[in-house]
Amino acid sequence: MFKNTVEFVKRATIDAVPAKIKNFKDEQSQKGLKYYWYMFLHDERIGEVFDMFAYYGGNKDTAKQKMSRLMKDSRSHLSDNVLEMIAKNMNLSVSELLWGNEENWKKLLPSLFYLIIFESISSSDFKTIREQQLKSNMLEVLKESVLFLSELAKKEIGAALSDGIVAFDIFDKNLFKVISRLYQNEVEEKFYRLFKEFFIEKILFEKIR
């Protein structure tokens, strides 16, 4: 995985988890149910919900503190075990918690596809001066033509987005045609299957953490 692609995946998945947790808690309140923060970290392998020791860290207070830290910084506190517990207590699979429904995450594929093209060029070994100039020109065109790439590195975007997804527009119409040709139906289907296998079904959380 490439650096920017990994960052994009983190923003679309891990960074979006706190908002999903808060929405779930609010929904329970609207139903007239009291859902405490520590209940997200109930471990069914230890005991029932009413057992104060059946939570992350062995008690409700530790679980509550963990949730408080996680809501402020999900990247540092969302481990595999914690992610699994939260998903189970929200009646979701881990992939559903991270990615949501397919219609939500499938729209990310063109962005990821674009990033891989950009970073493939970036990491390619151009030896001659002419090749290096060509590489520089290609990257410059891509940078100027796609709003998404230039904005990706800005932390404000991650905080401002409600769903953790960065949209992008290709301003250069010729470049748009080129990427559209590359991202044709057959390529899209192959890329979709590969992406689904490695990120949705296998949930390679350690790979993107």
Side-chain angles (χ1 to χ4, degrees):
M1 289 295 292
F2 298 102
K3 180 179 66 177
N4 286 342
T5 308
V6 170
E7 174 65 16
F8 185 54
V9 170
K10 286 179 179 179
R11 291 188 181 193
T13 56
I14 299 173
D15 290 355
V17 168
K20 294 177 182 178
I21 291 173
K22 186 179 184 302
N23 289 339
F24 180 86
K25 189 174 184 297
D26 291 343
E27 289 172 2
Q28 302 309 302
S29 297
Q30 291 173 5
K31 294 176 183 178
L33 303 174
K34 289 185 177 180
Y35 204 93
Y36 301 101
W37 290 109
Y38 60 78
M39 295 175 73
F40 285 100
L41 293 180
H42 165 249
D43 192 341
E44 63 179 10
R45 296 166 294 186
I46 300 176
E48 300 296 331
V49 174
F50 57 79
D51 182 357
M52 68 173 295
F53 299 107
Y55 294 90
Y56 173 91
N59 60 73
K60 294 178 179 179
D61 288 338
T62 302
K64 183 178 178 180
Q65 291 172 6
K66 181 66 173 180
M67 286 301 300
S68 177
R69 297 189 184 101
L70 187 153
M71 294 299 288
K72 295 176 182 176
D73 181 9
S74 57
R75 292 196 190 187
S76 299
H77 296 280
L78 196 58
S79 64
D80 292 348
N81 186 42
V82 168
L83 182 67
E84 184 179 353
M85 279 190 283
I86 291 173
K88 284 185 177 179
N89 289 306
M90 291 174 65
N91 296 316
L92 298 171
S93 66
V94 172
S95 62
E96 287 174 325
L97 177 58
L98 282 176
W99 295 97
N101 297 325
E102 182 171 326
E103 59 265 24
N104 294 330
W105 60 259
K106 194 172 181 181
K107 61 187 176 183
L108 298 175
L109 295 183
S111 309
L112 291 164
F113 186 79
Y114 167 79
L115 277 177
I116 290 172
I117 291 176
F118 180 89
E119 295 190 68
S120 294
I121 295 173
S122 299
S123 60
S124 297
D125 184 18
F126 290 78
K127 296 180 179 179
T128 68
I129 295 177
R130 184 173 181 179
E131 288 175 339
Q132 291 174 358
Q133 184 61 50
L134 176 62
K135 173 181 177 180
S136 177
N137 291 341
M138 286 190 294
L139 293 178
E140 197 60 35
V141 169
L142 288 171
K143 283 182 180 180
E144 292 179 353
S145 299
V146 182
L147 175 65
F148 167 73
L149 192 72
S150 62
E151 297 294 324
L152 179 63
K154 297 181 181 178
K155 296 180 180 179
E156 306 84 53
I157 286 186
L161 291 173
S162 59
D163 60 3
I165 295 173
V166 179
F168 72 95
D169 295 307
I170 300 175
F171 299 122
D172 187 313
K173 298 307 177 184
N174 291 327
L175 177 63
F176 177 79
K177 291 178 181 178
V178 172
I179 292 180
S180 296
R181 285 199 295 270
L182 290 172
Y183 201 70
Q184 56 191 282
N185 291 338
E186 295 80 4
V187 176
E188 179 178 5
E189 182 59 32
K190 291 178 181 179
F191 186 67
Y192 165 79
R193 289 200 301 268
L194 184 65
F195 189 82
K196 189 170 186 289
E197 177 184 354
F198 282 96
F199 285 95
I200 308 301
E201 295 174 353
K202 292 188 177 180
I203 312 301
L204 298 181
F205 185 74
E206 285 296 325
K207 293 293 184 181
I208 61 174
R209 189 155 62 96

